[in-house]
Amino acid sequence: MNSHTITHRQLFFLVVQTQIGVGVLSLPFSLFAKAKIDGWMSLIIAGLLIQFSILAIWKLCDRFPQSTIYDIMPKIMGKNLGLVFNFIYTMHFAFISILILIMYNTIVGKWILFETPHWVIIFIMATAGYYFITSSPREIARFFVLVTPLLLILFFFILYAYTDVHFLYLFPVGQAGILTIIKSSSDAVVALLGFDVALVFLAYTNGTPAKKIKVISFASFCITVLYAFIVFTTYIYFNPEEIVIVPEPVLYMLKAFSFSIIERTDLIFLSVWIISVATSFISYLFIAAKGVQTLFGLKDHQTGAPYIVVFCAMIAIIPNEKLEVLIWNKYISLTSLIFSALFPIVLLLISMLRKKQEKGAAST
């Protein structure tokens, strides 16, 4: 594992690039559907709540240094039950990869490649994912560091919207009610998923435990701020009646912009967004491949990589209609909320109650 280790700074970019994904385009619409114009507050609450999940993941991995979630599970639950949950987590991460492919296909097919068959769009991304997950964690992290400056392009395009915003659209603040705002934060938690890659990548990360928790928490904080900025901007750009009819408000907002040398700003934005989607897909696909390696006792994750890639691509082709996509999104998002945000807290409590901890780990 030493030749594959990453620095705590590279871990920061891994989390950032995994958290930014397909959710950024439709998040303002999905939050508005429940919390109305107060959706930006639901997002901030979600950002605070996931810090507890991050803390639990960090402490769990700190009790078992240099162990991934697949190594930790049998140590906490026993060999047989651990094997069952390793299978569940492998499928969980595989289906997150599938959801990313489905949503990516939906957006690209709708906005860019209108006549291209869906399976072609999916297999292009799947092929790119396969190429990257046959690399080591260090090589993947270096690529994520390399593409991170492209996020500045997304930021400046959104910032341009402030030439035509109306802050009065936000009032009255809190009109949805505090309970509705809190309940709606669950949708935002799903959009902010990506911090859960720490369940595997922490095992490869050099540095003290204090440095690790700082970079994961700060990475998640940065993405929460970026998402809040995007949601807030769309809410003061569109009036409440308009947001209801635009499922991807970020793209519709950018489509209204044009410059002397750039006519379709939304297509430039999507070109950069696709790279962010790819990084999320690569992270989850790599973790799923590690699960296949553990389940079948393979020498390395590269051996199982082609099988998990083909599985994800074939399943992602199934939903064609909009209603089918929404159903898949609903159920995979629900399981993601359970296994990525909540179950790590349960695992930490079990390990503490059963006093499961490896030598060299800091005492609780």
Side-chain angles (χ1 to χ4, degrees):
M1 189 177 288
N2 288 336
S3 62
H4 295 164
T5 55
I6 61 176
T7 67
H8 63 278
R9 293 183 180 88
Q10 289 173 326
L11 178 64
F12 170 83
F13 293 104
L14 271 167
V15 175
V16 164
Q17 285 292 345
T18 307
Q19 278 197 276
I20 295 181
V22 291
V24 66
L25 300 182
S26 58
L27 183 60
F29 175 81
S30 59
L31 288 178
F32 185 86
K34 292 187 177 180
K36 301 304 177 186
I37 213 71
D38 297 317
W40 62 275
M41 289 191 282
S42 297
L43 180 61
I44 293 174
I45 292 172
L48 295 174
L49 291 176
I50 64 174
Q51 291 294 329
F52 292 100
S53 296
I54 290 172
L55 187 62
I57 290 171
W58 165 74
K59 193 58 189 174
L60 178 67
C61 293
D62 189 42
R63 293 175 71 86
F64 301 91
Q66 297 186 336
S67 296
T68 68
I69 185 66
Y70 303 114
D71 303 319
I72 294 171
M73 208 76 73
K75 296 173 184 177
I76 295 177
M77 298 185 164
K79 184 177 180 181
N80 294 330
L81 194 57
L83 183 64
V84 171
F85 274 93
N86 274 346
F87 173 77
I88 291 173
Y89 260 92
T90 301
M91 295 305 296
H92 161 62
F93 288 121
F95 272 94
I96 292 180
S97 303
I98 290 168
L99 180 61
I100 292 172
L101 282 178
I102 292 171
M103 302 308 294
Y104 151 80
N105 171 56
T106 301
I107 297 296
V108 172
K110 179 180 178 181
W111 286 84
I112 305 176
L113 305 176
F114 317 107
E115 302 297 331
T116 306
H118 293 322
W119 66 268
V120 174
I121 298 173
I122 288 172
F123 271 90
I124 288 174
M125 179 63 78
T127 303
Y130 171 71
Y131 173 79
F132 279 100
I133 68 168
T134 54
S135 306
S136 67
R138 181 180 295 177
E139 290 165 336
I140 293 173
R142 285 173 176 171
F143 172 71
F144 285 16
V145 173
L146 180 67
V147 299
T148 297
L150 292 174
L151 295 179
L152 292 174
I153 297 176
L154 306 185
F155 173 76
F156 285 119
F157 275 148
I158 299 296
L159 191 63
Y160 186 77
Y162 281 83
T163 58
D164 184 25
V165 295
H166 306 276
F167 288 94
L168 289 178
Y169 290 158
L170 293 175
F171 296 99
V173 176
Q175 58 185 290
I178 186 65
L179 289 178
T180 302
I181 292 171
I182 293 174
K183 288 179 182 178
S184 302
S185 64
S186 61
D187 287 355
V189 168
V190 173
L192 288 169
L193 288 179
F195 59 87
D196 49 338
V197 297
L199 287 166
V200 168
F201 284 108
L202 272 174
Y204 298 94
T205 306
N206 293 324
T208 63
K211 286 182 178 178
K212 293 176 183 179
I213 183 60
K214 285 178 182 178
V215 296
I216 301 173
S217 293
F218 185 62
S220 183
F221 170 77
C222 289
I223 299 305
T224 301
V225 171
L226 177 62
Y227 271 29
F229 168 70
I230 293 173
V231 171
F232 184 85
T233 303
T234 56
Y235 286 174
I236 59 178
Y237 183 84
F238 294 106
N239 68 51
E241 288 76 19
E242 290 174 325
I243 297 180
V244 178
I245 59 174
V246 284
E248 291 94 26
V250 176
L251 292 180
Y252 282 99
M253 176 177 68
L254 292 172
K255 193 175 181 180
F257 305 156
S258 63
F259 305 93
S260 57
I261 58 173
I262 301 176
E263 180 64 28
R264 291 290 302 275
T265 312
D266 56 313
L267 295 183
I268 304 296
F269 184 93
L270 280 172
S271 300
V272 179
W273 169 81
I274 287 173
I275 297 174
S276 294
V277 173
T279 54
S280 295
F281 178 62
I282 290 165
S283 291
Y284 283 114
L285 202 61
F286 174 83
I287 296 174
K290 292 298 293 184
V292 171
Q293 176 192 354
T294 304
L295 287 173
F296 293 97
L298 303 177
K299 183 180 179 181
D300 51 49
H301 72 278
Q302 286 93 337
T303 306
Y307 302 104
I308 196 68
V309 170
V310 171
F311 171 77
C312 291
M314 295 300 292
I315 298 296
I317 294 173
I318 295 174
N320 282 320
E321 302 299 326
K322 183 178 179 181
L323 182 59
E324 291 177 332
V325 171
L326 291 174
I327 292 172
W328 280 69
N329 188 14
K330 176 183 176 181
Y331 287 107
I332 296 177
S333 295
L334 178 61
T335 57
S336 298
L337 186 63
I338 294 170
F339 290 107
S340 292
L342 300 177
F343 199 65
I345 299 175
V346 176
L347 285 175
L348 176 62
L349 293 175
I350 293 173
S351 69
M352 293 172 66
L353 291 173
R354 299 189 67 185
K355 297 181 179 179
K356 296 290 184 178
Q357 183 173 336
E358 287 187 344
K359 276 188 176 183
S363 58
T364 305

